Amino acid sequence: MALTNELHAQVAAIFKETWTTRDGKVVPAPEDLKHSNDAVQFDRATVLYADLSGSTALVDTRGWQFAAEIYKAYLYCAGRLIKSHDGVITSYDGDRVMGVFIGDYQSTNAVKCALRINWAIHNVINPALKKQYDTDYVVRQVVGVDTSSIRAARTGVRGDNDIVWVGRAANYAAKLTEIKSERRTWITKDVYDRMHESARISNGQNMWNSYRWDAHDNQTIYGSTWTWSL
């Protein structure tokens, strides 16, 4: 009964309480936000989602140690590359990682990071896997990137909470990783239009092909098979 009363009271308070917002200068940690309806807002931030492909089949058909090593290798490389491109890791969710980029070069940094994650798959992870194991398994992944206004709020219960990112970029970046294609990096038109030409053109060749995203009102998106070497 006590728990029922607590749930009713807390949910009612969430819906009734007035929100307070403030402009963000850095990507916040959970402790930077109150448990009440408190949010940090960004006029624009770029979100990157890196998602390991085929993880369900991986755990269903391979030993748990093998699957765990794939997870660890992929998430380590993706996480280190996010941080090396001035991004902030905001969450690990099973087989994927989310990074948030702010600042003047946020979209360019996020896109170069995405292409370097693809490079790491081909030049670090799969070669190391083949060297260690006699296996036909090939690690594959997809990265999605979008940019928009966004807000960060604290969610969960006291002692066990995290940040929820509310805005188009967080949702679209995650949804882009669901596209089934040989293209391993997907970005929205807003990202494509904002990123520097160095992330768009290589030796006079455009690294990106445009597509219609039929799952989202046929919006224009861009996909790439290219990598960006370290």
Side-chain angles (χ1 to χ4, degrees):
M1 188 65 176
L3 179 57
T4 300
N5 292 338
E6 176 192 332
L7 296 179
H8 279 296
Q10 186 61 34
V11 170
I14 290 170
F15 288 140
K16 288 179 181 178
E17 191 174 65
T18 300
W19 280 90
T20 60
T21 61
R22 60 190 184 278
D23 292 335
K25 304 299 182 184
V26 297
V27 175
E31 56 269 22
D32 297 326
L33 291 154
K34 300 175 183 177
H35 286 282
S36 58
N37 286 355
D38 178 42
V40 171
Q41 61 185 11
F42 296 88
D43 288 339
R44 189 170 69 88
T46 299
V47 176
L48 177 152
Y49 260 97
D51 189 7
L52 186 66
S53 301
S55 58
T56 300
L58 172 63
V59 298
D60 283 346
T61 60
R62 310 282 173 158
W64 73 264
Q65 297 97 331
F66 184 86
E69 289 168 15
I70 299 296
Y71 276 50
K72 285 168 64 68
Y74 176 66
L75 293 174
Y76 180 85
C77 289
R80 282 292 290 120
L81 287 166
I82 288 169
K83 295 180 73 171
S84 73
H85 288 79
D86 296 329
V88 177
I89 297 169
T90 55
S91 68
Y92 288 99
D93 181 13
D95 60 354
R96 65 184 181 176
V97 58
M98 173 181 169
V100 173
F101 298 75
I102 60 175
D104 293 339
Y105 306 104
Q106 56 182 267
S107 291
T108 300
N109 288 344
V111 170
K112 289 182 177 180
C113 176
L115 295 175
R116 279 185 166 144
I117 293 173
N118 196 30
W119 177 89
I121 289 291
H122 293 288
N123 295 277
V124 179
I125 298 175
N126 277 321
L129 181 67
K130 295 297 186 291
K131 183 177 180 179
Q132 182 66 31
Y133 295 107
D134 181 15
T135 179
D136 61 352
Y137 188 82
V138 177
V139 180
R140 295 182 174 87
Q141 57 91 49
V142 183
V143 177
V145 183
D146 187 25
T147 188
S148 73
S149 62
I150 200 166
R151 288 161 179 80
R154 196 171 186 175
T155 186
V157 298
R158 291 188 183 277
D160 192 7
N161 49 76
D162 204 347
I163 289 180
V164 60
W165 292 86
V166 184
R168 191 197 73 186
N171 293 88
Y172 276 26
K175 290 294 184 182
L176 286 168
T177 66
E178 298 175 1
I179 297 174
K180 307 300 182 186
S181 168
E182 65 176 0
R183 314 291 174 188
R184 292 298 162 181
T185 308
W186 291 95
I187 63 176
T188 59
K189 186 176 186 299
D190 281 347
V191 173
Y192 184 86
D193 290 343
R194 290 177 180 274
M195 68 186 185
H196 189 266
E197 185 175 333
S198 62
R200 188 182 304 128
I201 306 295
S202 177
N203 295 322
Q205 184 176 354
N206 196 326
M207 295 183 284
W208 303 89
N209 295 99
S210 64
Y211 297 88
R212 292 294 179 182
W213 196 7
D214 55 8
H216 286 274
D217 300 321
N218 287 318
Q219 295 182 40
T220 299
I221 56 174
Y222 293 83
S224 179
T225 60
W226 286 64
T227 65
W228 192 292
S229 62
L230 289 174

